Amino acid sequence: MNEAAHTSGSPSGSASGSPGKRMLSEQVYALLRDAIMRGDHAPGDALKPQDIAREQGVSLAVVREALVRVVGEGLADRLPNRGFAVPAFSDRRWQEIAEARRTVEPVMLRMSVERGDVDWEARVRAAHHRLARTPAFAPEEGEHYTAVWAEAHRVFHRTLLEGCGNPVLMETFDRLWTASELARRWSAQRDPHRDGADEHRRLEEAALARDADTAAAVLIRHLTLTAAALSGRAGHAPERET
């Protein structure tokens, strides 16, 4: 069935009603997302629909639909009269996301330390063990850290917080984590001497020692250093914030 088959009876028109187009759009979306995450497109680079369509052998409609999805995940911007582009290091959103995370996540961690049971402790230990044993970088995956490490990293942070027992807060964490993924990758590249492994070890130790004050302080610094690398202030994050 071609893309023009559904020209009536569909509120979204022919293109979005075509299973073939949806599949192509999904494929182009995955390619674009992976390319941005790998660092194939530098911050501020234009994402030209015509070029992408030609390279992938698909229609402009397919590419634009995929780009809209990438924009929705915060991995690209839609610019008035200028098409699409990868966000810049200096984009204020990264600092706003970091501020939101520094506000929400330490509170959740305190709740986890207070409420988490023995099963939570076991999950935290297991998640940290997997993170510590997973290589962060591989030449074949580009200049940013690997997808396997990224998932182990997400699971560790999520496991630390899920002891809070509040699904609404966990949904907030999930949204903020997704929104900040690109900034995390850029931050690691811009501050290569940062000892993230030690930061994660200290987080695990403080949480399992039921030391809420130390755990929250370590987490705040951890989040602050990520944002600081993007603003050129790496290494100058405060120990604690009030």
Side-chain angles (χ1 to χ4, degrees), residues 8-9 26 38 71 82 84 96-97 101 106 109 126 136 143 183 210:
S8 62
E26 181 69 30
R38 283 195 308 270
V71 170
R82 291 165 53 200
F84 300 85
E96 291 172 342
I97 293 170
R101 293 187 66 196
L109 183 54
E143 62 186 14
R210 304 291 175 156

Side-chain angles (χ1 to χ4, degrees), residues 106-182:
V107 174
M108 296 174 67
L109 183 54
R110 285 180 177 276
M111 293 167 65
S112 288
V113 168
E114 294 170 1
R115 300 175 179 179
D117 56 14
V118 173
D119 288 339
W120 169 75
E121 291 183 358
R123 292 195 302 273
V124 169
R125 288 190 185 279
H128 180 259
H129 180 76
R130 180 175 296 277
L131 176 61
R133 294 299 182 93
T134 302
F137 297 96
E140 64 272 16
E141 291 204 31
E143 62 186 14
H144 295 163
Y145 51 68
T146 67
V148 174
W149 187 90
E151 177 60 10
H153 187 219
R154 183 192 70 82
V155 169
F156 172 65
H157 276 270
R158 197 180 197 283
T159 303
L160 275 173
L161 303 184
E162 68 186 10
C164 75
N166 187 316
V168 176
L169 285 173
M170 293 309 303
E171 288 174 5
T172 300
F173 165 81
D174 289 336
R175 288 195 299 272
L176 290 172
W177 185 271
T178 298
S180 60
E181 179 60 23
L182 189 55

Side-chain angles (χ1 to χ4, degrees), residues 11-232:
S12 55
S14 62
S16 62
S18 166
K21 177 181 178 293
R22 286 197 300 271
M23 183 174 66
L24 286 173
S25 178
E26 181 69 30
Q27 292 172 352
V28 174
Y29 156 76
L31 287 169
L32 282 170
R33 188 182 190 281
D34 290 347
I36 293 171
M37 288 295 193
R38 283 195 308 270
D40 294 351
H41 300 287
D45 274 2
L47 299 170
K48 300 178 180 179
Q50 295 89 342
D51 292 349
I52 298 169
R54 183 173 60 253
E55 292 167 2
Q56 300 301 323
V58 298
S59 69
L60 274 175
V62 165
V63 173
R64 289 186 180 279
E65 186 173 300
L67 281 167
V68 167
R69 287 188 62 187
V70 174
V71 170
E73 289 193 353
L75 301 179
D77 291 329
R78 189 168 193 169
L79 309 175
N81 304 316
R82 291 165 53 200
F84 300 85
V86 178
F89 282 136
S90 59
D91 195 312
R92 181 171 174 79
R93 85 181 70 179
W94 310 127
Q95 303 306 322
E96 291 172 342
I97 293 170
E99 181 180 56
R101 293 187 66 196
R102 287 195 301 266
T103 301
V104 174
E105 292 182 31
V107 174
M108 296 174 67
L109 183 54
R110 285 180 177 276
M111 293 167 65
S112 288
V113 168
E114 294 170 1
R115 300 175 179 179
D117 56 14
V118 173
D119 288 339
W120 169 75
E121 291 183 358
R123 292 195 302 273
V124 169
R125 288 190 185 279
H128 180 259
H129 180 76
R130 180 175 296 277
L131 176 61
R133 294 299 182 93
T134 302
F137 297 96
E140 64 272 16
E141 291 204 31
E143 62 186 14
H144 295 163
Y145 51 68
T146 67
V148 174
W149 187 90
E151 177 60 10
H153 187 219
R154 183 192 70 82
V155 169
F156 172 65
H157 276 270
R158 197 180 197 283
T159 303
L160 275 173
L161 303 184
E162 68 186 10
C164 75
N166 187 316
V168 176
L169 285 173
M170 293 309 303
E171 288 174 5
T172 300
F173 165 81
D174 289 336
R175 288 195 299 272
L176 290 172
W177 185 271
T178 298
S180 60
E181 179 60 23
L182 189 55
R184 268 190 300 278
R185 292 175 183 240
W186 287 346
S187 177
Q189 183 188 21
R190 287 167 65 88
D191 189 8
H193 302 297
R194 178 180 174 189
D195 192 350
D198 182 65
E199 294 171 34
H200 293 134
R201 178 187 58 78
R202 291 176 62 203
L203 269 173
E204 181 211 25
E205 289 177 351
L208 297 185
R210 304 291 175 156
D211 185 344
D213 288 342
T214 298
V218 171
L219 180 57
I220 288 171
R221 179 171 174 79
H222 184 66
L223 298 175
T224 301
L225 284 170
T226 298
L230 296 183
S231 62

